[in-house]
Amino acid sequence: QGVQALVEAQKPDAPIPRRAIDLLHRAERIDPKQPEVLWYLGLVEAQAGHVDAAQGYWRRVLDVLPPDSPDRKTVTDAIDAVKKE
């Protein structure tokens, strides 16, 4: 919740704030299968130009999403998008 508020307060293409990144890593240690946390950590890595790390986080999101989740397309699109950059 705190991370979401920090991220939503930013402009869409602005880097995720350091404080939010720290909270995301803490949340990942507590629950390494939380899709929202993994999504944002992938976004952090993509913004930093770390394509393999971003894809790794987003593949982990796919591993925990239900097969019929509408979010799967968003995640696969993100994986494909960073491949092209």
Side-chain angles (χ1 to χ4, degrees):
Q1 216 173 22
V3 171
Q4 188 172 359
L6 285 169
V7 172
E8 287 177 353
Q10 299 293 108
K11 292 181 181 179
D13 56 351
I16 294 177
R18 180 80 238 162
R19 181 166 177 238
I21 295 168
D22 293 342
L23 289 171
L24 287 165
H25 282 294
R26 189 176 312 153
E28 179 188 21
R29 286 191 296 275
I30 293 167
D31 183 359
K33 293 185 176 185
Q34 183 58 248
E36 293 86 3
V37 170
L38 298 172
W39 169 259
Y40 282 118
L41 286 170
L43 184 59
V44 167
E45 295 295 346
Q47 288 178 343
H50 304 146
V51 173
D52 290 341
Q55 290 177 339
Y57 276 115
W58 291 335
R59 284 189 188 101
R60 287 173 57 195
V61 173
L62 291 175
D63 289 344
V64 297
L65 285 177
D68 59 347
S69 172
D71 294 331
R72 292 183 75 81
K73 178 165 178 21
T74 301
V75 177
T76 55
D77 287 349
I79 290 170
D80 291 341
V82 294
K83 283 182 194 174
K84 295 175 185 172
E85 292 179 6

